[in-house]
Amino acid sequence: MSHYSAFRLFREGLRGQKGWTPAWRMPAPKPEYDVIIIGGGGHGLATAYYLAKQHGIKRVAVLEKGWLGGGNTGRNTTAIRSNYFYPESAALYDFSVRLYEGLSRDLNYNVMFSQRGMMVTAHSEHDLEMATRQYNAMRINGIDAEMLTAAEVRARVPLLNFRADARHPIHGAVSQPRGGTGRHDAVAWGYARGADTRGVDIIQNCEVLGIQKEAGRATGVTTTRGDIRADRIGATVAGHSSVLAELAGFKLPIHSYALQAFVSEPIKPILDTVVLCPAFGTYVSQSDKGGIVFGGGLDRIPSYGQRGNMPVQEDVVGALVEMMPALAKVKLLRHWGGIVDVTPDSSPIIGPSGVEGLYLNCGWGTGGFKAIPAGGYMLAHLMATGQHHDLSRPFDLDRFTTGRLIDESAASGIAH
Amino acid sequence: MQIFPCPFCGPRDEREFHFAGEAGKTRPDTTGEVSPDDWATYLHMHRNEKGRTREVWVHTPCAEMFIMERNSVTMEVLGTECLRAKS
């Protein structure tokens, strides 16, 4: 692998950019691997990277039916945060934020993690009490947080609606200063490059059509590019987890919904943090390119249609204009949908699937992007050692039978 | 907006409808002992099909529940039927 650096960039600039080589290979699938990862999004690529880097398992294939990061990794709003309520969630998501903090250096790839802070506004005295409760929970969980008064919110984000006739007046906010945004494609590409360098085969345009089983144990997969065998198979397919489970003969506690997002035409810098207004169920940030990136809650109808629709567009755009009236004349550039895997407690599923040799990393719902490093790290640990990492144990599939749910339905601040 | 057909009220705006659950699940007999596995399966495990689905929906204004068959990729509605026993 050629090392990326400022010096290298400078040198290539002088040499007409002719010295760059592809960041990863395009190998044909081999008939057998130690580990197969199904799904070449962030979680799958991160799993392969940590399998190779942390555990020395390098005969690994990542099978992707389309192109790398073409699913939810390329369809989210790039927010990264760990402002969760329960200790189990806070520990897992903060582990992820801390991995993000060192990720550009670890991968030698700029994932553009910008810790510009993330605030959740409060729109009544009752909201403010709930915000204080969240602040206290975060502090107890060891995650730094700040309470902001209305005046402090106004100083930080003058763009917000502070007019006397505001539909939802702002009373204050709870903020996570270490939260922020990252570059979603760079996360997928950085992990892909890091995994490929360590010997992982990344195979695109290779759709899994079946799970092969012998005596109840998963032994390989049937794909559009032939059969591939492996001892251990990891599934990181997000909204399509139920489809994969059906191929393997079981069901999951998941409903798939579209989650939509939007970006405006690029405008000059006007917003340097991430703002979530729970009263509207809408959140917004500005990308480095200048686009206003925003989104809202889940669709109301279970769906596998990877596209947007009018009812949600009306709700979310209407909310944004009320939140930040100055944006009313800004033109919408794109609007899209990704299929997210929603569990009854809005917490992920990491663990054995019930079919021996097949492991799951799914159920992240609306919050998968921020969890990519942790999800990959945990699944790699599980597949390499056969044991849960301490942080992933509470998220095993068995919680739906034991009843030990980790109900974070309200933690994302978006109604589910 | 998409139009969904309520078997009682006819074609109406999609925002008047609410998804209730997958059709064909049978609640375990709770007068006897129900194993945690059976209860978890009933409560939480779903087919969550990609493609043709058969689901229970409610039309909020008339508050009637009914079966809707649709395609979960194209959103095409294939038919709706009343849940009440036919006399």
Side-chain angles (χ1 to χ4, degrees):
Chain A
M1 174 179 76
S2 58
H3 190 77
Y4 293 162
S5 64
F7 171 73
R8 182 84 197 284
L9 202 60
F10 182 70
R11 195 181 67 177
E12 289 301 330
L14 296 179
R15 293 181 178 184
Q17 313 288 355
K18 290 192 176 123
W20 301 112
T21 51
W24 54 83
R25 299 163 295 130
M26 299 282 233
K30 298 188 186 103
E32 189 172 357
Y33 291 90
D34 291 339
V35 173
I36 289 173
I37 305 294
I38 306 171
H43 282 273
L45 294 164
T47 306
Y49 174 75
Y50 291 119
L51 275 170
K53 180 175 179 243
Q54 305 288 113
H55 305 285
I57 299 175
K58 302 187 176 182
R59 289 183 64 228
V60 178
V62 178
L63 309 182
E64 166 53 47
K65 73 175 172 183
W67 64 94
L68 294 189
N72 294 346
T73 303
R75 294 167 190 263
N76 59 80
T77 47
T78 79
I80 295 167
R81 61 188 174 85
S82 59
N83 53 351
Y84 281 76
F85 189 77
Y86 291 102
E88 298 89 342
S89 319
L92 182 64
Y93 287 101
D94 204 53
F95 181 72
S96 202
V97 170
R98 281 183 277 120
L99 283 177
Y100 264 122
E101 285 173 344
L103 198 58
S104 292
R105 188 168 292 271
D106 184 29
L107 295 176
N108 177 231
Y109 201 99
N110 187 4
V111 300
M112 297 165 70
F113 181 32
S114 159
Q115 292 181 290
R116 57 186 65 186
M118 148 121 191
M119 70 166 71
V120 181
T121 53
H123 298 271
S124 65
E125 288 307 307
H126 314 292
D127 268 9
L128 206 52
E129 286 180 10
M130 291 307 285
T132 310
R133 179 172 174 261
Q134 183 178 7
Y135 163 81
N136 286 331
M138 288 171 68
R139 295 293 298 266
I140 289 168
N141 291 331
I143 294 168
D144 48 324
E146 286 173 3
M147 285 302 295
L148 304 178
T149 63
E152 287 167 334
V153 174
R154 187 167 196 168
R156 186 86 171 84
V157 189
L159 202 58
L160 279 165
N161 188 350
F162 285 92
R163 296 194 307 216
D165 64 348
R167 171 71 182 84
H168 293 292
I170 291 168
H171 286 237
V174 54
S175 153
Q176 181 178 21
R178 284 190 301 126
T181 59
R183 176 82 179 96
H184 49 2
D185 292 330
V187 173
W189 298 338
Y191 274 123
R193 175 167 167 268
D196 177 90
T197 305
R198 287 166 175 79
V200 171
D201 281 358
I202 296 166
I203 300 156
Q204 301 178 71
N205 298 310
C206 180
E207 183 174 359
V208 170
L209 304 171
I211 306 284
Q212 295 168 357
K213 289 202 278 189
E214 286 169 23
R217 188 190 159 84
T219 56
V221 294
T222 308
T223 78
T224 49
R225 296 179 68 177
D227 291 357
I228 309 174
R229 292 180 64 86
D231 291 340
R232 285 159 285 175
I233 300 169
T236 53
V237 297
H240 282 68
S241 293
S242 298
V243 176
L244 195 95
E246 196 196 350
L247 294 179
F250 62 95
K251 289 187 210 168
L252 285 169
I254 285 176
H255 275 123
S256 294
Y257 289 89
L259 178 66
Q260 302 180 43
F262 309 79
V263 66
S264 78
E265 60 184 331
I267 54 179
K268 288 188 176 177
I270 51 166
L271 178 63
D272 63 357
T273 187
V274 186
V275 182
L276 162 62
C277 292
F280 297 103
T282 295
Y283 54 96
V284 58
S285 64
Q286 186 171 22
S287 78
D288 293 344
K289 238 177 354 188
I292 300 293
V293 180
F294 60 106
L298 281 174
D299 272 24
R300 298 166 56 254
I301 301 174
S303 165
Y304 283 92
Q306 287 175 298
R307 57 187 174 270
N309 56 49
M310 289 307 290
V312 171
Q313 179 175 6
E314 197 173 276
D315 282 357
V316 175
V317 174
L320 182 74
V321 169
E322 176 64 26
M323 271 165 68
M324 296 179 172
L327 296 179
K329 301 282 185 192
V330 174
K331 291 189 178 75
L332 198 58
L333 187 67
R334 284 195 308 277
H335 167 207
W336 64 92
I339 304 305
V340 299
D341 38 349
V342 179
T343 59
D345 58 358
S346 298
S347 284
I349 299 166
I350 305 168
S353 67
V355 172
E356 203 183 335
L358 179 60
Y359 299 87
L360 300 172
N361 168 3
C362 61
W364 295 97
T366 59
F369 175 73
K370 72 171 89 70
I372 283 172
Y377 196 98
M378 295 301 147
L379 184 60
H381 182 95
L382 179 69
M383 294 183 77
T385 64
Q387 304 289 324
H388 267 293
H389 190 284
D390 285 347
L391 292 180
S392 69
R393 180 70 194 83
F395 297 93
D396 194 277
L397 197 52
D398 68 5
R399 75 178 186 272
F400 298 98
T401 309
T402 61
R404 291 187 65 85
L405 301 186
I406 304 161
D407 191 357
E408 289 287 357
S409 304
S412 69
I414 299 286
H416 289 288
Chain B
M1 305 298 166
Q2 189 173 9
I3 301 297
F4 284 162
C6 169
F8 307 94
C9 312
R12 307 280 290 220
D13 188 307
E14 62 175 285
R15 289 171 299 186
E16 293 183 4
F17 294 83
H18 195 76
F19 168 71
E22 78 176 42
K25 273 194 171 183
T26 307
R27 184 184 163 95
D29 178 5
T30 49
T31 57
E33 187 77 11
V34 181
S35 75
D37 280 337
D38 289 348
W39 191 241
T41 300
Y42 169 69
L43 271 188
H44 295 309
M45 301 300 164
H46 314 294
R47 294 195 300 268
N48 191 28
E49 291 135 317
K50 181 176 185 177
R52 194 182 177 106
T53 63
R54 188 174 163 81
E55 299 160 332
V56 180
W57 282 71
V58 61
H59 182 220
T60 320
C62 74
E64 289 280 358
M65 301 191 103
F66 64 94
I67 299 272
M68 178 151 70
E69 287 196 22
R70 64 186 183 99
N71 184 307
S72 63
V73 181
T74 64
M75 295 294 162
E76 181 190 5
V77 176
L78 305 165
T80 57
E81 60 188 89
C82 170
L83 257 177
R84 293 186 175 178
K86 293 185 179 71
S87 53

